[in-house]
Each structure stands twice: as C-alpha cells, then as structure tokens.
C-alpha cells in the first residue's frame, strides 16, 4: 500500500527565514494531497488541499509544490514567523477508496 | 459552526480497566475515524466508520473496538486497557470516504494514560 515519508522530523529556523518540509510517497496514482497544521496541544487544522493536476499552490505565507515525477510533495513557508511554530503533517489519498496516509510529522520551531 | 467534539480531553486509567472515548460531529458527515498519535509515528488509523453500524478496521485495530449507532456519534472502546495504549487519540470526520471529499475535520484529541 501507499507509504509516505516526511522529512525532516524537526526543523528550527529564524524568524524571516524560509522553512521547507518534504514528503515522498510511493503510489503513482495518488491524486489528493493535504497539509495539516497542529499547534501545541491542539487539533489538526487543514492548511491546504492539493490536487495532482496542479503543481504549484499558494496560500497565505506558504507554497505547496507537487512533483509527480519524483512523487514528492513539499511545503515551503516563506518568511516564517513565530506563529508558524507547530507540527505539520502531510497526507496522501491513494487510489484506493477512503484511507488517507499520513506522514510522520515535522515539528517546526521559528525562533525570533 | 462545524465541529468535532471529543470527550473526555484527558483520562487516566489503570491497566485492565475499560475505556470509553466518545466523539460527536455536527456536520452530518457520513464517515468518521479514530486515530492515535504517538511521537515520531504520525497518525495511525485505528478504525473507519462509513455510516451507522458500518465499521472497518484501520491499520492498528488490535485491542480496540468501535460503536456507531447514530451518524453523529462514534465511540472507541478499549476493553482491558494496556499500558502501550497510552497515547493521544483523535477522532475525525469527513463528508464521505473517498476522493476530493476526503478532507478530514479533527477533534481536539483525548490524551489517555494507562498506568
């Protein structure tokens, strides 16, 4: 079945720097990709949903890139600020019905 | 307001005791999920429920069972809890189980400690 590997597990950047989190997946037929943000002690909140038909997706302060050839999904936080400090999880919807497969998570710390 | 509500938020139990975790959602979502989250492992799927009395095992169902008697309510039961079931448990719901509607809405989590 689908396997998702997320790197790095921990990331510390200075305020204003960029932060990049990457997930690689194995099922070439995967079509839906998600990024979730989990602030300390809180639940997971959807950051962005990406379809495989679109390779670059921009949100507020971040960009999601999808490289279907390499089966790689990345989240790039531009000009990170302390409010971005959280755990981030990618999730991939494989070709089979229903189950999302989550990455292991990245704990991001943005230092002032 | 779309919400997934989990009760209790924190729970301490002794090994061998029974545990009931409850989850409700007010979005009339068909599909509901139970995950556990352990450090370094991300979220692991325990059970999926596609509707009332239509439940399927996830990736780590051993030691757990579920009950869904109403669409808006999904329970996770640990019969005779074990110390390795100490974890944070998340309930989630989605409009349906497949494709683009797979956006999951998560509850706040239940932190369970089994001593």
């Amino acid at each position: 079945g689908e396997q998702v590997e997320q790197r790095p597990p921990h990331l510390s950047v200075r305020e204003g720097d960029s932060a990049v989190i990457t997930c690689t997946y194995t099922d070439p037929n995967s079509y839906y990709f998600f990024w979730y943000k989990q602030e300390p002690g809180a639940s997971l909140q959807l950051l962005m949903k990406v379809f495989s038909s679109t390779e670059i997706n921009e949100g507020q302060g971040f960009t999601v890139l999808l490289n279907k050839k390499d089966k790689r999904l990345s989240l790039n936080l531009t000009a990170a600020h302390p409010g971005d400090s959280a755990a981030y999880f990618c999730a991939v919807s494989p070709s089979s019905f229903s189950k999302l497969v989550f990455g292991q998570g990245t704990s991001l710390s943005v230092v002032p | 307001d779309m919400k997934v509500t989990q009760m209790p938020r924190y729970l301490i139990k002794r090994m061998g005791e029974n545990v009931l975790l409850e989850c409700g959602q007010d979005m009339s979502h068909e599909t509901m999920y139970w995950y556990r989250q352990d450090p370094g492992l991300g979220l692991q799927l325990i059970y999926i429920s596609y509707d009332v009395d239509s439940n399927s095992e996830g990736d780590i169902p051993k030691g757990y069972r579920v009950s869904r008697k109403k669409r808006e309510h999904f329970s996770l039961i640990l019969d005779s809890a074990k110390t390795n079931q100490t974890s944070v448990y998340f309930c989630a719901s989605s409009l349906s189980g497949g494709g683009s509607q797979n956006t999951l809405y998560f509850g706040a989590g239940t932190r369970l400690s089994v001593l």
Side-chain angles (χ1 to χ4, degrees), chain A residues 2-7 22-26 70-73 90 92:
Chain A
E2 174 77 276
Q3 294 182 45
V4 178
E5 185 167 335
Q6 184 173 342
R7 290 285 184 267
T22 301
C23 290
T24 55
Y25 58 95
T26 56
D70 294 341
K71 296 193 287 295
R72 179 178 292 118
L73 176 74
C90 64
V92 179

Side-chain angles (χ1 to χ4, degrees), chain A residues 6-7 9-10 31-32 34 36 38 40-46 48-49 51 87 89-94 96-105, chain B residues 6 9-10 31 33 35 37-38 40-43 45 48 50 57-59 88 90-91 96-109 111:
Chain A
Q6 184 173 342
R7 290 285 184 267
H10 304 282
Y31 193 79
Y32 300 101
F34 302 80
Y36 283 88
Q38 183 183 27
S43 183
L44 283 81
Q45 302 291 328
L46 180 68
M48 180 169 276
K49 180 166 66 176
F51 305 127
F89 293 89
C90 64
V92 179
S93 183
S96 59
F97 184 71
S98 133
K99 279 178 20 176
L100 272 182
V101 180
F102 282 85
Q104 297 84 355
Chain B
Q6 288 186 239
R9 292 293 316 278
Y10 302 90
T31 309
Y33 312 75
Y35 287 89
Q37 183 181 34
D38 299 296
L41 292 179
L43 281 86
L45 180 64
I48 299 177
Y50 296 106
E57 294 180 347
D59 299 319
V88 180
F90 284 100
C91 173
S96 70
S100 63
Q101 292 161 320
N102 231 358
T103 300
L104 269 59
Y105 296 86
F106 285 86
R111 188 175 295 274

Side-chain angles (χ1 to χ4, degrees), chain B residues 19-39:
Chain B
V19 178
L20 172 65
L21 305 184
E22 309 215 59
C23 176
Q25 49 98 359
D26 61 1
M27 297 169 278
S28 298
H29 283 173
E30 286 184 358
T31 309
M32 297 185 74
Y33 312 75
W34 277 107
Y35 287 89
R36 65 177 280 177
Q37 183 181 34
D38 299 296

